[in-house]
Amino acid sequence: MKTDELIGLLATNLEPVKAGRLRNTFLIALVAGATAAFCVMVAIFGVSGDALGGEHFGLRIVALAFTLGLVGAGASFLLRAARPGEPGRKPVMIVCLLFLAILSAGIAALLFAHPTGWRGMIFGPQWTACLICIPLFGIAPFALLIWALRKGAPTNLARTGAIAGLVAGALGAAIFTLHYPVSSLPFIALWFGGPIALCALAGAILGPRLLRW
Amino acid sequence: VPSGIQAAQGDEVMDVRSQEPELRALILAGLDGDLAAHKILLARLSVYLRAYFRGQLARIGRGPADAEDLLQETLIALHTRRHTYDRSQPLTPWVYAIARYRLVGEAATRSGMSVHRGLKALSPRRQGSGA
């Protein structure tokens, strides 16, 4: 077909485009992802009475701030990365700063504590639960974010996939803090930060396959 | 031939960036449902994109027929994914990001390279050493 004919064909039926369409798709993906992750948690652990109360209230707030900060920065990156072109560096910088902040806080907490307590601070009561549950809770949000991204037109698939994995993992971790009694800063850095980073890695590997258009 | 296409042939040599305000007005009208504006936009962009694809493909030893295929794929992408254009941003980077994505994907598929290596082969610094 000649290009002029193609242009004529493309311009025969034109639906007006609503301005906030892509943004709404992402909002739906995030809300539905968080809901799905919450349902998975309730299905596994049941409803716990002390959602955000109980012991170590301050540490739970830190874990929640860290993970929701990652979700916020990552989601703003994804909204831009869903459009062809350069998404800008600011959200990625914020993500790096959040990781840096939680790592330094974790190291500082270890330095202030007696070395005999280090083992308990680092491994906490159940580090394996974090390692399993955070990626598990992140699966549904990841699938929904990929769905939203496929409605757009991302051009850097590995990087976009990585941030989608990061947001999904961070959302899963945020939901997990509602159930899990976080007991120290190094624990948050290692067993929340680590699994979230693993989710980002998985996203980077899957991105080019799932996001191609 | 529609008048928009004829008009576009004339300013082929002009830099696409100097056309930015006009092209942007056209896509904004198109997004609001203006058929004529959308058609003129695609016709005018196809002039720049044809030159872009011919130049890029010539570097990896491919001819104008391949460039025309890529141009058509890109026009379809510009049309079907027009909702990914952010109305507050300049139009040209969006258009060329789509064109470049199509070009890299094409180079990668044809030669069996990964997309990443396709990008490297097409980047100016690696010219001559790639593929």
Side-chain angles (χ1 to χ4, degrees), chain A residues 1-4 6-8 10-19 21-22 82-85 150-155 157 212-213, chain B residues 5 30-35 38-39 42-43 46 50 68 71-72 75-77 79 81-87 94 97-98 101-102:
Chain A
M1 190 197 291
K2 283 177 68 185
T3 302
D4 289 351
L6 175 73
I7 292 172
L10 290 177
T12 46
N13 184 16
L14 201 66
E15 292 274 309
V17 173
K18 274 192 202 151
R21 196 168 127 188
L22 212 50
R83 305 175 188 277
R150 287 181 62 90
K151 299 259 172 193
T155 48
L157 307 188
R212 268 183 89 169
W213 52 279
Chain B
I5 295 176
L31 288 173
D32 289 335
D34 185 337
L35 256 172
H38 187 62
K39 192 166 181 172
L42 292 180
S46 69
R50 182 176 291 122
E68 207 64 18
L71 169 62
Q72 295 195 357
L75 288 173
I76 293 170
H79 173 76
R81 310 217 169 220
R82 61 189 186 280
H83 65 279
T84 64
Y85 171 65
D86 183 343
R87 287 164 211 242
W94 176 76
I98 291 178
Y101 181 78
R102 276 278 159 260

Side-chain angles (χ1 to χ4, degrees), chain A residues 72-90:
Chain A
S76 91
F77 176 91
L78 289 182
L79 190 55
R80 284 182 234 180
R83 305 175 188 277
E86 266 307 308
R89 299 225 171 113
K90 209 169 134 197

Side-chain angles (χ1 to χ4, degrees), chain B residues 16-20 23-24 45 85 89-97:
Chain B
V16 63
R17 279 178 197 85
S18 66
Q19 305 289 306
E20 170 70 33
L23 295 174
R24 197 157 165 266
L45 286 177
Y85 171 65
Q89 297 295 313
L91 173 71
T92 320
W94 176 76
V95 170
Y96 277 89

Side-chain angles (χ1 to χ4, degrees), chain B residues 38-59:
Chain B
H38 187 62
K39 192 166 181 172
I40 294 171
L41 175 77
L42 292 180
R44 291 184 59 169
L45 286 177
S46 69
V47 176
Y48 298 112
L49 291 172
R50 182 176 291 122
Y52 170 73
F53 284 133
R54 284 186 180 179
Q56 295 289 315
L57 287 182
R59 283 168 37 191

Side-chain angles (χ1 to χ4, degrees), chain A:
Chain A
M1 190 197 291
K2 283 177 68 185
T3 302
D4 289 351
E5 289 169 15
L6 175 73
I7 292 172
L9 208 68
L10 290 177
T12 46
N13 184 16
L14 201 66
E15 292 274 309
V17 173
K18 274 192 202 151
R21 196 168 127 188
L22 212 50
R23 179 183 295 267
N24 291 341
T25 309
F26 272 94
L27 274 176
I28 291 168
L30 283 174
V31 172
T35 312
F38 187 78
C39 291
V40 172
M41 185 183 77
V42 170
I44 296 176
F45 298 108
V47 186
S48 71
D50 57 338
L52 262 181
E55 265 188 299
H56 306 298
F57 177 72
L59 282 170
R60 277 189 169 187
I61 294 298
V62 170
L64 210 56
F66 170 60
T67 51
L68 288 181
L70 290 178
V71 170
S76 91
F77 176 91
L78 289 182
L79 190 55
R80 284 182 234 180
R83 305 175 188 277
E86 266 307 308
R89 299 225 171 113
K90 209 169 134 197
V92 179
M93 291 272 288
I94 295 174
V95 166
C96 293
L97 282 175
L98 281 166
F99 270 101
L100 205 66
I102 198 74
L103 265 176
S104 2
I107 291 169
L110 284 179
L111 291 179
F112 278 111
H114 195 270
T116 49
W118 284 4
R119 203 186 149 77
M121 286 172 83
I122 291 173
F123 291 103
Q126 274 182 313
W127 59 271
T128 44
C130 286
L131 201 56
I132 294 164
C133 286
I134 289 172
L136 184 71
F137 293 1
I139 290 174
F142 184 72
L144 284 155
L145 286 171
I146 293 292
W147 164 79
L149 284 166
R150 287 181 62 90
K151 299 259 172 193
T155 48
N156 188 329
L157 307 188
R159 190 171 56 181
T160 307
I163 301 291
L166 177 112
V167 172
L171 201 57
I175 297 293
F176 192 52
T177 54
L178 299 179
H179 161 80
Y180 191 78
V182 197
S183 55
S184 80
L185 284 170
F187 189 88
I188 298 173
L190 202 58
W191 302 114
F192 279 67
I196 292 172
L198 279 179
C199 291
L201 183 70
I205 294 166
L206 291 171
R209 277 161 224 201
L210 298 176
L211 297 173
R212 268 183 89 169
W213 52 279

